[in-house]
Amino acid sequence: QKAKEKKATINGLEHVTTEEKANATSQVDQALEQAKTNVGKATNKAGVDSAKNSGIQAITNVANPSPTSYTT
C-alpha cells in the first residue's frame, strides 16, 4: 500500500522528467522487494513487524525527484 501511495505521489509531480520519475519509482520497487525478502526471512511476529516497519520507512525515505534545472 505504501509503495502504491509513494509511486502515485512521484507520478503526480509536475516539471519532472519521465526518466526522473522512472528512477524514483524504481527505487521504491527496490525498497519494496527488500522489505518482502526481509519479511520472508523473519522467524517470528516481532521479526515480521520489524521488517515491515523498516520496509515502510525505506519506501518513505525515497526522495521525490526535483525539477531539473535547465540552462539556456
Side-chain angles (χ1 to χ4, degrees):
Q1 180 66 30
K2 191 64 168 176
K4 287 181 184 180
E5 292 171 8
K6 184 69 172 182
K7 286 182 182 182
T9 298
I10 291 167
N11 288 321
L13 295 173
E14 296 182 8
H15 309 294
V16 178
T17 67
T18 302
E19 183 177 279
E20 291 166 328
K21 289 179 183 181
N23 183 38
T25 55
S26 174
Q27 291 176 31
V28 171
D29 287 337
Q30 290 172 5
L32 177 60
E33 287 307 311
Q34 185 62 51
K36 287 179 180 180
T37 298
N38 292 342
V39 166
K41 290 180 180 178
T43 58
N44 57 34
K45 183 175 179 350
V48 170
D49 290 343
S50 176
K52 177 183 167 190
N53 291 334
S54 294
I56 290 170
Q57 190 61 49
I59 290 168
T60 301
N61 288 344
V62 172
N64 291 339
S66 299
T68 304
S69 298
Y70 295 100
T71 56
T72 56

